[in-house]
C-alpha cells in the first residue's frame, strides 16, 4: 500500500520490508512484556522528492517518553565530537553581539554544556524528561517540549532570532519534518543557519546497515531529498559535510535563500548520489536483498558456533539491536545476555527478542568465546576498552558491512 510523502505529498512506494518490530528504545522490564507495541518496519521512497521514509505512523509520545534511555554522552568519541561542534559554532556563527543558539533534541546536553560554559545564550528543546534534567544539572537551559512550527514564535518572542539552530540524530526522527522546517525558518535570523546531522542514506546503503531502520527513524536523509525539502519550505541547502558518527552521517546546513553562498560540497555530493543511484527504488530493493543475506549468514554462523559448544554474548544495546535481533530471530537461547554501559538499560530486556541487558562488569566476569558487537559503530572505542577480552582469546562478531569475525 502506497502512502503520501510527508514532505511533498508525492507517492511513496514500499521498498524494504523487515517484518514486524517493536520500538527500538523500548527496553521493557522483565515481566512487563505482555503488551509490547509492534509495527510493520517497512521503508519506502517518494517517487517525486526521493525522501526515504517509514511507511507506518508511530505517535511520537510513545517514542520519546520520560525515561528515553539513550544518553549521547555515553561515548567518549561522541562527547568529543559534540564539544568540537560547539567550539566550531563559538568560533564561527556565534561571534556577533549577544548571539543565540537553539538545539532541537538537546538530549543530555552534551553539546550545549560547552556553549553554556562559554556564557553564550542558548536553549535546548527536549521533550524527554530524564535527559532534560541531566542537561539542566550541567547548566543548560532547557524547554521541555517538541519542536514544530508552533514552538518557533514563542521562542523567538522570548529569546530573539537564532544565529544557529542545531540538531543531531533527531531531525530524521520527526515525522512532522515539514513543520520543523517551517518553524526553523521562522526562528532563524536573516543570516542564521539550521545545521543538523543524521545517519546518511548513502552510507546505510553502502554498508547494508539495515539496523539503522527502526521506529525512531521516520526518515533516512540524502543530500538530494534534503535539498528538495528545504526548497519546498523556503530554505536553501548551502553546505554538506560527511561525518563518521553512527556508521556514516551527513551534516546539512540550511539558510534562508540567498543569505549564504552555496558550497561546492553540495554539488559534489549530489553527483556522488547520482552515481550511486541513491534516488532509485531498485537500489533500495537490492539493499533489502543484501540485508536478507546478512541475516542468513549471521544465523548460520551462530548455529555452527552453538553446535561447537561455543559461548556467545552481545556487546552494546543500541536501538539498532532491536532491529537486528528481531529481524534475524536471535533470542536469549543464542545470546543469553548483552552488556551496555547505560544504567537505564541495565536490568531491562531488548524489546521483542527479550535478551537481558547487563552491565559491562557482568561481561567481564563471564567472558564469552564470541561477542556480537551490536554497537558496531563504536567498534574502535569498545575494542580498545575491552582489549583484555581479545587478549584472552575472545573473538568479535561483526555484521556490517557483512558478517565477519575478528
Ligand atoms: O538516532 C539515534 C541514533 C543515531 O543514536 C537515536 N535514536 C539513538 C541512538 O541510536 P543507538 O542507540 O543505535 O546509538 P549508539 O550510539 O550506537 O548506541 C551505543 C550503545 O552502546 C549505547 O547504549 C551505549 C553502548 N556503549 C557501551 O555499552 N560501551 C557504547 C560505548 C561506546 C561503550 O564503550
Ligand atoms: Zn516526496
Amino acid at each position: 500500500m502506497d502512502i503520501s510523502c510527508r514532505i511533498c505529498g508525492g507517492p511513496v512506494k514500499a521498498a524494504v520490508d523487515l517484518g514486524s518490530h517493536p520500538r527500538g528504545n523500548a527496553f521493557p522490564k522483565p515481566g512487563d512484556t505482555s503488551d509490547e507495541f509492534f509495527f510493520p518496519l517497512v521503508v519506502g521512497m517518494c517517487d517525486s522528492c526521493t525522501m526515504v521514509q517509514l511507511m507506518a505512523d508511530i505517535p511520537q509520545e510513545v517514542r520519546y517518553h520520560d525515561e528515553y534511555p539513550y544518553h549521547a554522552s555515553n561515548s567518549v568519541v561522541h562527547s568529543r565530537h559534540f564539544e568540537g561542534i560547539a567550539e566550531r559554532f563559538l568560533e564561527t556563527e556565534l561571534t556577533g553581539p549577544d548571539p543565540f543558539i537553539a538545539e532541537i533534541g538537546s538530549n543530555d546536553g552534551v553539546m550545549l554544556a560547552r556553549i553554556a560554559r562559554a556564557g553564550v545564550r542558548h536553549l535546548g528543546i527536549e521533550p524527554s524528561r530524564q535527559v532534560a534534567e541531566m542537561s539542566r544539572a550541567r547548566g543548560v537551559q532547557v524547554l521541555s517540549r517538541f519542536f514544530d512550527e508552533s514552538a518557533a514564535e514563542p521562542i523567538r518572542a522570548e529569546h530573539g532570532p537564532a544565529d544557529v539552530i542545531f540538531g543531531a540524530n533527531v531531525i530524521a526522527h520527526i515525522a512532522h519534518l515539514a513543520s520543523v522546517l517551517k518553524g526553523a525558518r521562522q526562528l532563524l535570523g536573516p543570516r542564521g543557519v539550521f545545521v543538523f546531522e543524521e545517519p546518511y542514506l548513502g552510507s546505510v546503503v553502502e554498508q547494508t546497515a539495515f539496523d539503522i531502520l527502526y521506529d525512531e527513524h521516520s526518515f533516512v536523509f540524502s543530500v538530494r531529498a534534503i535539498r528538495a525539502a528545504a526548497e519546498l519550505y523556503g530554505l536553501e541547502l548551502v553546505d554538506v559535510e560527511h561525518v563518521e558518527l553512527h556508521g556514516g552521517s551527513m551534516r546539512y546546513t540550511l539558510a534562508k535563500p540567498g543569505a549564504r553562498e552555496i558550497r561546492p560540497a553540495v554539488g559534489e555530493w549530489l553527483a556522488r548520489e547520482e552515481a550511486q543511484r541513491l534516488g532509485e527504488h531498485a537500489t533500495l530493493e537490492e539493499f533489502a536483498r543484501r540485508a536478507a543475506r546478512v541475516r542468513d549468514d549471521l544465523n548460520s554462523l551462530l548455529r555452527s558456533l552453538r553446535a561447537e559448544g561455543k559461548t556467545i554474548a552481545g556487546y552494546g544495546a543500541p536501538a539498532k539491536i532491536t532491529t537486528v535481533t528481531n529481524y534475524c530471530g536471535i533470542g536469549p537461547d543464542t545470546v543469553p545476555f548483552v552488556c551496555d554501559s547505560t544504567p537505564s538499560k541495565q536490568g531491562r530486556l531488548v524489546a521483542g527478542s527479550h535478551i537481558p541487558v547487563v552491565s559491562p562488569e557482568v561481561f567481564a566476569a563471564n567472558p564469552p568465546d564470541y561477542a556480537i558487537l551490536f554497537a558496531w559503530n563504536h567498534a574502535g572505542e569498545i575494542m580498545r576498552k575491552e582489549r583484555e577480552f581479545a587478549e584472552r582469546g575472545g573473538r568479535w562478531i561483526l555484521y556490517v558491512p557483512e558478517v565477519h569475525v575478528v
Side-chain angles (χ1 to χ4, degrees), residues 41-110:
L41 182 45
V42 183
V43 169
M45 179 184 277
C46 172
D47 272 356
S48 308
C49 74
T50 74
M51 184 66 88
V52 168
Q53 50 202 286
L54 265 190
M55 302 298 278
D57 268 318
I58 296 143
Q60 56 186 1
E61 291 75 11
V62 218
R63 302 192 285 191
Y64 310 106
H65 48 87
D66 283 345
E67 294 179 7
Y68 184 66
Y70 181 70
H71 302 163
S73 294
N74 256 337
S75 149
V76 181
V77 175
H78 284 199
S79 294
R80 273 198 216 119
H81 172 81
F82 290 115
E83 278 169 25
I85 288 178
E87 274 154 23
R88 206 155 109 177
F89 284 144
L90 289 169
E91 285 160 15
T92 55
E93 304 295 336
L94 302 173
T95 53
D98 197 21
F100 172 55
I101 175 169
E103 183 177 5
I104 302 172
S106 46
N107 196 266
D108 59 10
V110 62

Side-chain angles (χ1 to χ4, degrees), residues 5-211:
C5 175
R6 293 182 179 89
I7 302 302
C8 78
V12 180
K13 292 203 183 78
V16 182
D17 184 346
L18 298 184
S20 182
H21 284 252
R23 288 186 300 114
N25 267 320
F27 292 102
K29 292 182 184 135
D32 194 15
T33 55
S34 54
D35 60 347
E36 278 184 284
F37 173 89
F38 278 81
F39 74 101
L41 182 45
V42 183
V43 169
M45 179 184 277
C46 172
D47 272 356
S48 308
C49 74
T50 74
M51 184 66 88
V52 168
Q53 50 202 286
L54 265 190
M55 302 298 278
D57 268 318
I58 296 143
Q60 56 186 1
E61 291 75 11
V62 218
R63 302 192 285 191
Y64 310 106
H65 48 87
D66 283 345
E67 294 179 7
Y68 184 66
Y70 181 70
H71 302 163
S73 294
N74 256 337
S75 149
V76 181
V77 175
H78 284 199
S79 294
R80 273 198 216 119
H81 172 81
F82 290 115
E83 278 169 25
I85 288 178
E87 274 154 23
R88 206 155 109 177
F89 284 144
L90 289 169
E91 285 160 15
T92 55
E93 304 295 336
L94 302 173
T95 53
D98 197 21
F100 172 55
I101 175 169
E103 183 177 5
I104 302 172
S106 46
N107 196 266
D108 59 10
V110 62
M111 197 281 286
L112 284 182
R114 178 68 189 85
I115 300 282
R117 281 207 305 280
V120 168
R121 285 196 307 121
H122 63 273
L123 183 69
I125 304 149
E126 173 55 66
S128 297
R129 191 177 48 82
Q130 269 182 9
V131 286
E133 283 311 321
M134 290 168 80
S135 54
R136 287 190 184 103
R138 300 164 104 171
V140 173
Q141 197 186 342
V142 188
L143 177 66
S144 293
R145 66 164 294 171
F146 286 99
F147 183 80
D148 58 14
E149 212 182 341
S150 71
E153 198 40 57
I155 295 173
R156 194 182 166 114
E158 191 177 339
H159 301 270
D163 298 286
V164 178
I165 303 173
F166 182 65
N169 303 311
V170 65
I171 305 301
H173 293 52
I174 308 177
H176 58 266
L177 176 62
S179 173
V180 169
L181 292 169
K182 287 188 217 164
R185 189 185 144 78
Q186 239 176 305
L187 181 57
L188 279 184
R191 272 190 52 79
V193 283
F194 178 21
V195 181
F196 51 94
E197 56 179 58
E198 306 289 327
Y200 176 52
L201 181 66
S203 306
V204 170
V205 166
E206 198 174 82
Q207 303 185 81
T208 318
F210 62 87
D211 55 353

Side-chain angles (χ1 to χ4, degrees), residues 68 70 75 78 169 173 214 216-217 246 316-320 340-342 345 375 377-378 381-382 385:
Y68 184 66
Y70 181 70
S75 149
H78 284 199
N169 303 311
H173 293 52
Y214 49 90
E216 292 182 13
H217 290 156
H246 291 294
K320 298 182 282 288
D340 193 284
S341 57
T342 316
K345 293 181 184 178
N377 47 316
H378 298 275
E381 184 171 348
I382 290 175
K385 202 181 282 180

